[in-house]
Structures are given as structure tokens and as C-alpha cells.
Amino acid sequence: MHNNIPTKKLHDGTILPAVGFGTYSLKGSQGVQAIRSAIDAGYRLLDTAYNYENEATVGQAIKQHGISREEILVTSKLPGRYHQHDNAITTIQESLYRAGLDYYDLYLIHWPNPKQDHFVEAWQALLDARKWGLIRSIGVCNFLPEHLERLKAETGEMPVINQIELHPFFNQKKQRQYHEENGIVTESWSPLGRKTNLLEHPLLAEIAENHGRTVSQIVLRWHYQLESIAIPKSATPKRQVENLAIFDFELNHADMEKINSLTISDGRIADQDPAVYEEF
């Protein structure tokens, strides 16, 4: 992988870089610039979603950059309002048209929306879309073990990845253990705890100082050592480069324990509990 970024192998054989690039809220020509600069910095995994309304921006950035399609991995996500099978298939096609791509490398169900209870049907649609070559690898976001168990029981297949809210204020230890036991790779959204004071935390500042690093680098290294793929977002070229420069140092056991001690049981940033939260 470019830039000596380590990789992770998914249970379907797909290989992903250990850090990706989040594109949430990057839109229009400024968004294209930011994503092009991220590709320049060495990011090879781009994360978008139907509901971010920027799949076209991501596709345009890839096109303008000129990087070959084989060198870049693109993730998008199915919104809750299109979980019914046929709607899901049409939405995946629409997703691809927006981005100007022939396939997505990874396509995820954005939220389980358990009250609607169509997520198994949505999963079946992803299985079909993969069979037809629209997507290469399939996964989910924000699924709790009970939701994952149902996918397995009713379709016989587990996701390759589950993208969940994960940062030092909410380290998801039990969920990560479940993933590990079931061959699912963990991916972290809001890895740097956006909208919180995480990056100003004195404990993290102290660890950063000891290593001669920024707090962001410490937190992203923590994700890496937890075996989770973080997808930090930044529109600043300098920060984009900095967020990838985490593979030439290591946090010791004491550092990891200190960072893990920051977790709190209700540490979700916006109280989006997948057991009840619905996203359309």
C-alpha cells in the first residue's frame, strides 16, 4: 500500500489500508480539492455515504486526480429509507451513477434501524449487488451483536466490517471483542471525537508530549493498536499528512491503558444508540 501504510485483510480476502479518509461534509469544488489533496498525501481508502450527498464530489476528485481506479478503494453506505430489497438495489445503482464509478469496493448499511426491521432484507440486497458486480465487499455500520447475529442466522453471512462510533471517550471494548471473535474488522467513525474537547484533554497532551507527537497522532495510533481502521477527516493538507504519520512510533502498554481509562459508558457524541436510533 502507498506510503508504507500497513494493511488489514478482510475475511473475504479484500485488503484495506489501516487508515482511511473520511469525507463527511466535504462538498463542491472545495470538497474536490480536499479529497484530491488527501489522495496526494497517500490516502487510498475514501469513505462516503449516500446521505452525505457528496458521492459525486468523491468521484470527481478521483477523476480529476487521475489516480487509476485499481489504486483507490471507495466506500459508500445505504440510507435507512431504502432498506427494502428493490429500493436498496436501485439506491446502490444511483450511488454509483452519482460517483461515476462502475463498482464500490466496500458498501455498508449505514444504520440497522431496528424499529423498521428491514436490515436483513437490506443485507440480502447487498449480497445480490455483490453477486452482480456492483460492489466488491459488503459490511455494515453501527450494528450491535444482536443485529449481526440475525444477519448470520438468516443469510449465513457476516459482514467483513462494522463501522462504529469509536474514540477514547467511547472505546467499545465489548463490541470490538465480539468483532474479533467473529472475524469482523472494526472501523472507527469520529475517531478524533469531533464536537468534543477530546483533543484538548490534558492526559492525551501529556502522552503526545512524551512522544513528540500531536494529540491527533496519539489518538490515531491508539486506534491502530486497537486493530481498528480509523477514518479521520481533514480538509487541511498539513493535517492530512500528519494523520498518516503514525506508523513510526508505538504507544506502550501504560499509554494504551491511560487512553482506555478515558472511556465512559454514555460516551456517544450525539447519543446515537443503534438499539433505538433511526436514520433515514
Side-chain angles (χ1 to χ4, degrees), residues 203-215 217-219 221-222 225 245-246 248-256 258-259:
L203 186 140
L204 295 173
E206 187 190 328
I207 295 172
E209 200 177 331
N210 292 344
H211 287 275
R213 298 285 168 157
T214 66
V215 172
Q217 286 174 322
I218 294 299
V219 175
R221 178 72 200 188
W222 171 81
Q225 290 184 212
I246 60 165
D248 57 348
F249 76 101
E250 199 166 333
L251 297 170
N252 62 33
H253 182 69
D255 291 333
M256 291 295 286
K258 280 180 193 164
I259 299 171

Side-chain angles (χ1 to χ4, degrees), residues 137-186:
S137 291
I138 57 175
V140 295
C141 307
N142 307 301
F143 273 50
L144 299 172
E146 68 216 47
H147 306 136
L148 295 163
E149 288 294 330
R150 272 198 55 202
L151 296 186
K152 191 178 179 183
E154 296 186 37
T155 70
E157 187 164 341
M158 279 287 208
V160 291
I161 222 164
N162 189 10
Q163 188 185 115
I164 55 175
E165 178 175 355
L166 177 52
H167 43 76
F169 289 159
F170 195 60
N171 76 20
Q172 295 263 38
K173 189 178 177 185
K174 274 194 176 147
Q175 180 86 29
R176 286 187 289 106
Q177 280 171 337
Y178 177 88
H179 290 170
E180 205 176 321
E181 286 158 15
N182 289 278
I184 298 168
V185 168
T186 304

Side-chain angles (χ1 to χ4, degrees), residues 22 25 34 51 66 72-73 97 120 128 135 163 166 221 223 226:
S25 81
N51 272 354
I72 199 99
L73 297 131
Y97 300 153
V120 176
D128 289 340
I135 43 191
Q163 188 185 115
L166 177 52
R221 178 72 200 188
H223 284 277
L226 289 182

Side-chain angles (χ1 to χ4, degrees), residues 30 52 76 109 122 151-152 155 179 192 233 238 253 256 269:
Q30 280 181 311
Y52 298 172
S76 195
I109 299 174
L151 296 186
K152 191 178 179 183
T155 70
H179 290 170
L192 300 172
K233 184 202 86 177
K238 180 175 172 284
H253 182 69
M256 291 295 286
I269 293 167

Side-chain angles (χ1 to χ4, degrees), residues 165 167-172 196 262-273:
E165 178 175 355
H167 43 76
F169 289 159
F170 195 60
N171 76 20
Q172 295 263 38
T196 69
L262 297 176
T263 197
I264 42 180
S265 59
D266 59 349
R268 294 184 191 279
I269 293 167
D271 198 26
Q272 293 168 310
D273 178 355

Side-chain angles (χ1 to χ4, degrees), residues 60-76:
Q60 187 62 26
I62 293 167
K63 189 175 162 189
Q64 283 188 19
H65 186 279
I67 188 168
S68 76
R69 180 65 185 92
E70 292 67 42
E71 272 189 75
I72 199 99
L73 297 131
V74 190
T75 304
S76 195

Side-chain angles (χ1 to χ4, degrees), residues 180-200:
E180 205 176 321
E181 286 158 15
N182 289 278
I184 298 168
V185 168
T186 304
E187 198 171 29
S188 315
W189 62 259
S190 280
L192 300 172
R194 72 186 159 88
K195 296 183 181 163
T196 69
N197 60 356
L198 179 72
L199 298 180
E200 283 83 58

